[in-house]
Amino acid sequence: MGVLVLAELDNGTLSPATARVVAAAAKLGAIDLLVAGPRAAAEAGATLAGVAKVILATETVLADGLANLLAGLAPGYEHIAAAASTTGKDVMPRLAAQLDIQPVTDIVAILGANRFTRPIYAGNALQTLTDAQARHVLTFRASAFRPAAGGNAAPIETLDATVASAARFIAAHRTESDIPDLATAQIVVGGGVSVGSAEGFKLIEALGRSLGAAIGATRAAVDAGYAPNDWQVGQTGKIIAPDLYIAVGISGALQHIAGIQGAKKIIAINTDAEAPIVKIADVALIGDLFDILPQLTAELEKRGLKG
Amino acid sequence: MKILVAVKRVVDHNVRIRVRPDGSGVETNGVRMSMNPFCKHAVEAAVQLAEAGQASEIVVVSIGPKASNDVILTALAMGAHRGILVETDAALETLAIAKLLAKVVDEEQPDLVLLGKQAVDDDSNHVGQMLAALTNRPQATFASEIKLDGHTLEVTREVDYGRETIDLALPAIVTADLRLNTPRNAALPMVMKARSKPLAVRPAAEFGVDLTPRLVVESVAPPAERAAGTTVASAIDLADIIVADVNEMEAI
């Protein structure tokens, strides 16, 4: 009895989150990786260490279709896992209820085959639990795990199943950018509402470019229209765990802190020395971001850092 | 059209929670409680559909201790028509909650069930999806926009890459994201009126659902404290630190 992992795709290609989920799931057993997408994504999945076999299925994009597909394969597996992405969150609880299993989601640490740690209360508490069920439906917070190595050449099996969905896909509204993926980036620069405007966010983006960093934003900055929704970092947005997080003009509301608690190092640039973000930062620079950012970006560019 | 909205009573999201010293959980005694913020978005969406003449009845349901009456009253004050409290003092897992809600759906036969995308206490983000599976209905999670056209619902969802639009036939299950709407504050006359709206209290045991937990929570602990930080004086000093960090990252 092995582990069935649902591969995370982004626009038809294998997302970097998949390598992290595979690394996490490999602690539980040999992995069969289900890729519901193009053959090229399955080929990319086959290179990941820990994958015994790739199962390639006809593309199904909606939750009930994916849940049905997984439910069909489920009898052969003790663990069924996915990333705690919007897809994983959409599909896995549905699958779990279909199988009459209580899922364990957003896992940040694996302590044994059925012992896991997950955050609750916006990351302000960590719950350690034992899943006493015979079979397990799990999602892993990708940012909490290092990616699996490449170099594998697992066989690819094609699954001959078409799965209908009761809902119908109409349109994708994709935020176009060449900025690294927020959920898996090593460096993230985040901007808050103090940045003042969408124009002001260009300063954040410029600093990000000088470091090859992904860009994040607080809920207030997104609500104010300075940054797109999918840049939102926090309890209700993306949860990140980069090596370095640079928080610019962010006061540090509980909700935002929940999204960055996994960061190895936090640097805060803020006018207010008493801001909660400054209290948790490893390094703080107190001052006006409009003065500091251009200087800092120029300085980093001068030193030829591009991430 | 009839809408069922599920609401949960949680520790108010502005409260800085305290983990009990014995690791048995989070202190909830004497702590301010309120309706889970995402549930408020769900109630608001239902009320807006009613105001647009697209819904004729809004039933609000909560599962929990007697005190959960207060969040049902909040929903009634916002404009829901009647309430159901499925009363239990047990701490229920999301699967048990979804099973109880499925029984309520069986009884009430709503065309649309609205829930919040997640509760801010356990942060599970399960119940809407599980209810959709148990009632064999299509689901639209993380909704930021809902348009109803006859028996078809067009929903725009907040997803990792941006937004996506799907459509689904009623009856369906929708979970609300925070950008769906701005929940109203009920005016005092509405709060007074809410007290005269029907509210049925039903013991959870009445529904014949096995509520036995499947997971054993061993401990609840606060996250590791971060070591105290330092302050630098200038952008140049900060650049030095960032360059050193990046070099170290590349070395690994």
Side-chain angles (χ1 to χ4, degrees), chain A residues 63-143:
Chain A
D64 54 343
L66 277 173
N68 287 338
L69 194 61
L70 286 165
L73 295 166
Y77 300 91
E78 197 171 332
H79 297 87
I80 306 169
S85 60
T86 49
T87 303
K89 287 173 176 173
D90 197 25
V91 173
M92 300 306 270
R94 185 172 183 120
L95 168 73
Q98 254 170 283
L99 301 175
D100 194 33
I101 294 171
Q102 172 68 36
V104 183
T105 52
D106 233 352
I107 293 167
V108 294
I110 301 168
L111 309 174
N114 64 349
R115 281 186 75 217
F116 308 102
T117 300
R118 63 178 299 270
I120 55 173
Y121 285 92
N124 289 298
L126 291 168
Q127 185 183 58
T128 295
L129 50 83
T130 298
D131 179 355
Q133 301 165 103
R135 296 161 66 218
H136 316 284
V137 173
L138 313 169
T139 70
F140 295 108
R141 184 175 286 184
S143 59

Side-chain angles (χ1 to χ4, degrees), chain A residues 3 5 22-23 25-26 29-33 45-53 148-150 152 154:
Chain A
V3 188
V5 172
V22 162
I31 295 168
D32 287 357
L33 184 68
T47 66
L48 296 172
V51 174
K53 177 171 84 177
N152 191 7

Side-chain angles (χ1 to χ4, degrees), chain B residues 102-143:
Chain B
K103 296 282 186 187
V104 175
V105 168
D106 275 352
E107 285 182 7
E108 295 285 341
Q109 293 294 322
D111 302 284
L112 174 63
V113 184
L114 284 163
L115 306 92
K117 78 163 179 178
Q118 76 191 60
V120 297
D121 50 3
D122 62 32
D123 281 336
S124 288
N125 196 331
H126 293 167
V127 174
Q129 297 87 312
M130 293 177 136
L131 179 61
L134 296 172
T135 58
N136 200 23
R137 294 176 175 206
Q139 71 191 48
T141 50
F142 328 135

Side-chain angles (χ1 to χ4, degrees), chain A residues 90 130 168 173 223 232 303, chain B residues 141 163 167 179 218 240:
Chain A
D90 197 25
T130 298
R168 190 164 58 104
H173 320 277
D223 283 348
Q232 186 175 320
R303 298 181 192 204
Chain B
T141 50
R163 287 171 299 129
D167 75 13
R179 268 172 261 283
E218 293 173 23
D240 287 341

Side-chain angles (χ1 to χ4, degrees), chain A:
Chain A
M1 293 272 275
V3 188
L4 178 63
V5 172
L6 174 64
E8 178 75 18
L9 300 185
D10 183 21
N11 210 8
T13 61
L14 199 70
S15 147
T18 303
R20 292 167 181 260
V21 172
V22 162
K27 295 177 183 168
L28 304 169
I31 295 168
D32 287 357
L33 184 68
L34 173 64
V35 177
R39 182 157 198 104
E43 284 164 1
T47 66
L48 296 172
V51 174
K53 177 171 84 177
V54 174
I55 303 168
L56 172 63
T58 326
E59 194 160 358
T60 51
V61 286
L62 295 175
D64 54 343
L66 277 173
N68 287 338
L69 194 61
L70 286 165
L73 295 166
Y77 300 91
E78 197 171 332
H79 297 87
I80 306 169
S85 60
T86 49
T87 303
K89 287 173 176 173
D90 197 25
V91 173
M92 300 306 270
R94 185 172 183 120
L95 168 73
Q98 254 170 283
L99 301 175
D100 194 33
I101 294 171
Q102 172 68 36
V104 183
T105 52
D106 233 352
I107 293 167
V108 294
I110 301 168
L111 309 174
N114 64 349
R115 281 186 75 217
F116 308 102
T117 300
R118 63 178 299 270
I120 55 173
Y121 285 92
N124 289 298
L126 291 168
Q127 185 183 58
T128 295
L129 50 83
T130 298
D131 179 355
Q133 301 165 103
R135 296 161 66 218
H136 316 284
V137 173
L138 313 169
T139 70
F140 295 108
R141 184 175 286 184
S143 59
F145 300 91
R146 288 282 166 194
N152 191 7
I156 299 174
E157 220 173 67
T158 305
L159 187 69
D160 212 8
T162 40
V163 180
S165 178
R168 190 164 58 104
F169 186 81
I170 306 284
H173 320 277
R174 192 169 285 278
T175 304
E176 294 298 344
S177 81
D178 52 0
I179 296 169
D181 179 36
L182 184 56
T184 52
Q186 269 195 303
I187 307 176
V188 176
V189 181
V193 79
S194 311
V195 174
S197 63
E199 204 49 47
F201 245 82
K202 300 273 187 251
L203 293 175
I204 304 281
E205 291 177 53
L207 174 59
R209 259 196 307 280
S210 73
L211 289 163
I215 309 296
T218 63
R219 176 179 172 183
V222 173
D223 283 348
Y226 305 165
N229 295 354
D230 50 307
W231 284 7
Q232 186 175 320
V233 170
Q235 183 184 21
T236 55
K238 291 185 178 130
I239 312 279
I240 59 172
D243 290 319
L244 178 61
Y245 182 61
I246 306 177
V248 183
I250 292 173
S251 65
L254 281 178
Q255 199 272 355
H256 186 73
I257 300 289
I260 62 166
Q261 245 157 3
K264 285 210 180 58
K265 185 166 190 179
I266 297 173
I267 292 176
I269 298 172
N270 211 297
T271 49
D272 178 8
E274 298 302 312
I277 191 90
V278 174
K279 305 266 186 215
I280 67 158
D282 299 280
V283 178
L285 174 54
I286 308 303
D288 185 345
L289 68 96
F290 296 100
D291 297 334
I292 294 169
L293 288 197
Q295 281 183 48
L296 182 60
T297 304
E299 192 63 27
L300 291 170
E301 275 171 1
K302 200 163 82 190
R303 298 181 192 204
L305 274 187
K306 288 213 170 53

